[in-house]
Amino acid sequence: MLDVCIIGGGVIGTAISRELSRYQLQVRLVEKNEDVGTETTKANSGIVHGGYDAKHGSLKGFFSAKGNAMYPQLEEELHFGFRQTGSFVVAFNETQEQELHHLLENGIKNGARGLTIISGDQVREMEPHLSKNITKALLCTTAGVTSPYELAVALAENAAKNGVEFTFHTEVRGIEKVEDHFVLHTNQGPIEAKVVINAAGLYADRISAMIGQDDFKINPKQGQYVLLDKDQSFLTDTVVFQAPENGTKGVLVAPTVHHNILVGPNSDYIDEKSDVSTTQDVISKILKAGSKSVDAINTRKVIRSFAGNRASSDRHDFIIGETAVKGFVNVAGIESPGLTSAPAIAVHVADLLKEMGAELTADPNFDPTRKPYQRIAELSGEELQNLIAEEPAYGRVICRCESISEGEIVDAIHRGLPITSVDAVKRRTRAGMGRCQGGFCAPRVMEIISRETGLSMEEIVKQGEGSYLLTKRSKDALERGGKDA
Ligand SMILES: Cc1cc2nc3c(=O)[nH]c(=O)nc-3n(C[C@H](O)[C@H](O)[C@H](O)COP(=O)(O)OP(=O)(O)OC[C@H]3O[C@@H](n4cnc5c(N)ncnc54)[C@H](O)[C@@H]3O)c2cc1C
């Protein structure tokens, strides 16, 4: 019997798993998809907010300021990619300037740090390509950018190293309370646990309802984005929000941790939780709104568009706590700033378990560190030569667009989490993220996954259930002697 079963491998579930791995507990995380970080955690702005925006007194305000302060140490321990770029909330008129003062006051109450209001000229001194129409800005020096899915992977790998079990392709379909424990009915059979933590993102209301706790609803609220090529990184290396006006928040123009530029998102309720399609109409509006903040957005430099859905609850704040069913904990409605808040929420959940009577004995073998990837693209000639001499696989380039070697891919596969998809490798190494989008390297990545894990080529998916790249051997290949197609 498990001490704790966490449902959901987004940034919230993985942060909780890593926090609980500090203790002598039997913990398992179950995830319906093939990897961690494949839903909302995969598609968002990637901003580590300063903690000034969410209303003082709300859980969002409390956890975002606390979470922000935890990021530098987390990055030092786990190396997932975090840059403290700072952020501006820019104003174009007096009404918006008033908003900057409200945000500053709210931020101070939340405990946010590094806040000052500066003039438009000071803004342009720091970022020369920002609009000359900006009159003032709220500068937050502690805000930054991160790679959300790399964070989820890093948290999960570190949790796995410290004893947490991860089972993917495992969908919870029903939950029963039996005496003093729970039985989770999944497509992979039953799982027994004393405590259940519901971190199922957009589906947390359905999971909670399985145990009769249906007192909230999650409504998906979509955000669409465009991503610009790295050669547009000159536009800004500071996150640029627009001050709210007439109840709307405007769009952001922000650097990503990998030096692309992100423009977006909109914020519209949609019917279907899994709908992540983008539309030309919304994308055009985003580009127009983003152009207010910077000199010019070159639409020919758009490399892709994508969408993510916020798990917006009808309570309009995070829902965190033990429910009326003893031992069943909801960590639900974690919309923005959930990514920022995740590390602080995880610590809170561990404290909550103690209050609930769980015995949390520190594990003396807990290791908070995760070794960084050796990225050949970032090494000097001499460093690379030394690395290749130690491990020749670092000398074989698999993804030409992003210069990713076989050594990096092999390393990604052997870090404690089951790897069954090409996109799981892509999320960890960036193989397939360049201009050709995997056209050249995907078959070679499949061969390496197959060789390293023992999975057959037909079992490897691109991403998600049923997204097979090869279904069977081709007739021609069979006639030529049975080689794989
Ligand atoms: C457009 C947009 C922009 C955002 N920008 C920011 C930002 O800049 N900064 C910030 O701090 N936050 C931001 N956020 C919020 C942040 O992305 C979320 O708060 C965070 O990713 C939520 O993580 P999660 O783990 O709760 O959910 P998810 O990442 O969705 O994880 C939940 C997991 O549960 C799994 N699951 C669901 N049902 C089951 C089941 N029955 N059985 C097993 N597994 C199941 C899912 O497959 C999923 O992997 C943004 C969100 C959006 C959508």
Side-chain angles (χ1 to χ4, degrees), residues 375 398-405 408-409 422-434 436-439 441-442 445 462:
R375 311 256 183 217
I398 302 297
C399 168
R400 289 182 187 168
C401 303
E402 296 284 314
S403 295
I404 311 296
S405 66
E408 287 154 86
I409 295 170
V422 171
D423 279 9
V425 169
K426 172 168 146 181
R427 281 190 289 273
R428 286 156 177 78
T429 62
R430 299 186 61 74
M433 279 202 191
C436 92
Q437 292 287 298
C441 64
V445 170
K462 169 144 180 21

Side-chain angles (χ1 to χ4, degrees), residues 7-13 30-33 35-49 170-173 199-204 207 210 221-225 252 265-266 308-311 318 331 334-341:
I7 305 171
V11 72
I12 297 300
V30 294
E31 167 55 54
K32 68 179 165 59
N33 298 333
D35 193 10
V36 295
T38 54
E39 298 217 334
T40 304
T41 294
K42 183 178 72 170
N44 54 62
S45 310
I47 313 292
V48 177
H49 290 280
T170 306
E171 181 173 328
V172 176
R173 293 178 175 170
L202 288 158
Y203 305 90
I207 295 287
M210 288 177 191
K221 207 184 205 184
Q222 199 183 57
Q224 298 185 24
Y225 294 91
L252 68 85
N266 61 316
N309 295 332
R310 303 166 182 88
F318 297 159
V331 190
I334 312 294
E335 55 181 329
S336 193
L339 176 65
T340 309
S341 307

Side-chain angles (χ1 to χ4, degrees), residues 201-214:
L202 288 158
Y203 305 90
D205 53 349
R206 294 187 192 163
I207 295 287
S208 190
M210 288 177 191
I211 198 79
Q213 301 298 299
D214 56 0

